[in-house]
Amino acid sequence: MTRIRYGWSLIWNIWSGINWSGGPACRGGLRLDFNVVLKDIGFQLVSAVPEIYVETSGPVQYKVDFLMNPHRLIIDLWDVTLTGPALTVPGNETWVKSIRVSQFDPQTIRLVLDIKEPRNCVVGIDETNPARLLIKTMTELLEATWHPDGDGGRLVLKGSGRLPAEPRYDPKTGKLYIRIPQTKLGDALQAAAGADAAGSVFKLREQDSSTVEVELAIPRGHDYSVTWNQDRREITVEVKNAPLSGKVIILDPGHGGADAGAISPSGLREKELNLVVALRLKQKLEALGAEVLLTREDDRYLWLYDRVAIANRAGGAVLLSIHANNHDNRKIHGLEIWHHPDRSESAVLAKALAEAVLARTNQHFRGIMASKDFVLPREAQMPAVIFEMGFVSNQDEEKLLKTEEFQDKITDGISQGLIAYFHTPAGQ
């Protein structure tokens, strides 16, 4: 079978001579593969750096050469047809004097960029459009600065153009590697390449002629986040203390739905208080790096065994069931923590929570108590406690429990108690 390529401009000249069978190729006949055509060429007006686009009717292959004296960038597009005469596109007066476009041979369009001065540039396919070729000067990494903040800080990277960074954390080395393709180090940073910077917090290196890598040490017990500004010319890596990183903590706001729990003389419902405190605690634990799951996040009823099943399926490190207490004697008040008597780790957890919360609330403490009757501490497959914040039946304690200030003290105490629990060596 004969295989011939033609440009779109020749289609009608040969159409009448084709024995068309409706398939991609005629059996024993002629197969036609039409070239793609040049649709448009010009400058990206919204680009922060010189950027040229070449748009075709389909994906293309290309080859790039550079010639000196005069300086020219040559780009050949294969299997592409120019449907009109050769043309010249005026330059943008910053880098390119003009762009000359011509049909170099029947299968190739040649673009000649007359440039004012040699610059490192990148030619590649647009990530969002495979039929669009982009030609742009290479982005320079202009600044890399570390801003300490407590026991963490921020690394700020600034480029002359977009920084298409690819972050990768290596748990073996405890370092974050940020690969920035189509970028080179600016003159001010060339001397810092490969050397320690800012007390060995980060390093810079050029992996090759068009890729920069940033290496940032992430201290143990810390977490990080990578963000870009709106035009993606600035990257911020925030490193913060995260002593609960990697810990899955299950919070169980007691009662819910038809089960209101205890109701104070003024009408405070325990189910609502439990959920408010649990949600406040969730925010604080997540800020410390923990992954937090709630058995309920709204006003719904859950069977006790359903709550345990949720915790066991999640495989949490600990389970805290948040409650408020009630008693017929309205003078009774204070904090209680319950665990199963046969679970020694639950007792250790209860002790750590009690010490941290009492140090912040100065509450009356009724003690760490043990019972085999409670479902959650008995059935949970991880250390588990029932945390009784206080008595809503006591007028003074009810007023405290309703205030954000007191809820903050309790949740701060629980957070610090969990840190102490997870960082206490076994047997101590």
Side-chain angles (χ1 to χ4, degrees):
M1 180 186 72
T2 304
R3 186 174 184 271
I4 304 175
R5 288 187 177 273
Y6 288 96
W8 284 110
S9 59
L10 301 179
I11 294 175
W12 293 109
N13 293 333
I14 63 174
W15 185 261
S16 60
I18 299 177
N19 181 16
W20 185 256
S21 65
C26 301
R27 182 175 299 177
L30 186 68
R31 170 178 170 176
L32 298 179
D33 289 335
F34 298 121
N35 289 352
V36 297
V37 297
L38 180 67
K39 295 175 64 178
D40 194 13
I41 182 170
F43 291 87
Q44 299 269 34
L45 298 179
V46 297
S47 176
V49 295
E51 188 169 303
I52 299 162
Y53 68 89
V54 180
E55 192 160 344
T56 56
S57 60
V60 297
Q61 292 181 311
Y62 60 92
K63 183 182 75 170
V64 180
D65 289 313
F66 185 77
L67 301 178
M68 302 286 287
N69 299 321
H71 305 314
R72 287 155 291 160
L73 184 66
I74 313 296
I75 303 174
D76 287 337
L77 306 179
W78 298 328
D79 296 334
V80 183
T81 298
L82 185 62
T83 56
L87 67 147
T88 299
V89 178
N92 64 348
E93 300 303 324
T94 60
W95 176 47
V96 178
K97 298 178 183 178
S98 64
I99 306 171
R100 291 178 279 133
V101 185
S102 63
Q103 190 77 48
F104 181 69
D105 61 36
Q107 306 302 325
T108 308
I109 281 183
R110 171 161 288 183
L111 278 60
V112 179
L113 281 68
D114 297 307
I115 57 181
K116 295 184 177 182
E117 60 182 13
R119 292 194 194 182
N120 290 328
C121 66
V122 177
V123 180
I125 304 297
D126 189 341
E127 294 178 356
T128 62
N129 183 356
R132 190 180 181 93
L133 197 67
L134 295 179
I135 307 158
K136 56 185 177 180
T137 57
M138 192 177 297
T139 299
E140 290 189 3
L141 185 62
L142 302 175
E143 295 182 30
T145 53
W146 174 255
H147 305 271
D149 182 11
D151 57 358
R154 290 176 293 111
L155 174 63
V156 180
L157 307 172
K158 295 182 180 180
S160 61
R162 290 165 60 90
L163 295 172
E166 302 168 359
R168 176 183 63 86
Y169 177 72
D170 186 345
K172 293 182 180 179
T173 62
K175 293 179 179 179
L176 175 69
Y177 298 92
I178 304 175
R179 182 176 178 271
I180 312 177
Q182 302 178 8
T183 305
K184 68 172 186 174
L185 290 175
D187 293 340
L189 295 180
Q190 286 287 346
D196 291 349
S200 300
V201 175
F202 71 92
K203 295 181 181 179
L204 302 173
R205 65 175 66 92
E206 287 186 329
Q207 284 189 326
D208 52 49
S209 60
S210 63
T211 304
V212 170
E213 184 178 69
V214 182
E215 176 187 309
L216 174 64
I218 306 297
R220 186 176 180 181
H222 286 62
D223 207 349
Y224 71 90
S225 62
V226 182
T227 57
W228 284 258
N229 69 343
Q230 188 172 5
D231 62 10
R232 299 186 73 83
R233 297 176 67 180
E234 183 176 311
I235 300 172
T236 300
V237 185
E238 185 174 357
V239 180
K240 60 182 181 179
N241 186 22
L244 296 179
S245 179
K247 304 298 183 185
V248 179
I249 297 172
I250 314 295
L251 301 181
D252 171 50
H255 307 284
D259 178 12
I263 301 177
S264 74
S266 67
L268 173 63
R269 298 186 177 195
E270 182 194 353
K271 67 174 184 177
E272 296 167 358
L273 175 64
N274 296 342
L275 182 58
V276 166
V277 172
L279 290 172
R280 189 181 296 268
L281 177 57
K282 180 177 186 287
Q283 289 183 335
K284 295 189 176 183
L285 294 176
E286 287 177 338
L288 294 170
E291 179 183 352
V292 183
L293 302 176
L294 272 67
T295 56
R296 68 177 180 95
E297 297 187 18
D298 51 22
D299 185 20
R300 69 178 62 190
Y301 174 79
L302 280 175
W303 189 35
L304 288 175
Y305 285 94
D306 288 335
R307 297 170 189 263
V308 175
I310 291 170
N312 290 339
R313 281 198 302 269
V318 296
L319 168 62
L320 275 65
S321 189
I322 308 296
H323 285 262
N325 230 326
N326 184 53
H327 200 281
D328 292 338
N329 184 346
R330 296 185 181 180
K331 293 183 179 180
I332 293 178
H333 65 288
L335 173 72
E336 295 178 355
I337 304 178
W338 292 80
H339 67 91
H340 192 280
D342 297 335
R343 302 286 182 86
S344 58
E345 270 301 300
S346 295
V348 174
L349 173 61
K351 182 174 183 294
L353 294 175
E355 290 176 352
V357 173
L358 293 173
R360 286 158 179 80
T361 63
N362 197 30
Q363 276 180 284
H364 171 63
F365 186 45
R366 290 174 55 82
I368 296 174
M369 304 178 181
S371 173
K372 295 183 178 181
D373 296 331
F374 293 119
V375 172
L376 268 72
R378 185 183 69 229
E379 303 296 332
Q381 297 171 0
M382 72 283 296
V385 299
I386 296 176
F387 189 92
E388 297 279 2
M389 298 179 286
F391 285 75
V392 296
S393 51
N394 179 276
Q395 186 177 13
D396 293 335
E397 202 156 52
E398 178 205 8
K399 288 180 180 179
L400 277 177
L401 289 169
K402 290 167 66 175
T403 65
E404 292 186 3
E405 180 183 1
F406 192 73
Q407 291 171 11
D408 274 335
K409 290 180 179 179
I410 288 179
T411 51
D412 283 343
I414 293 175
S415 299
Q416 294 305 311
L418 286 169
I419 292 173
Y421 169 75
F422 285 118
H423 290 81
T424 300
Q428 293 189 11

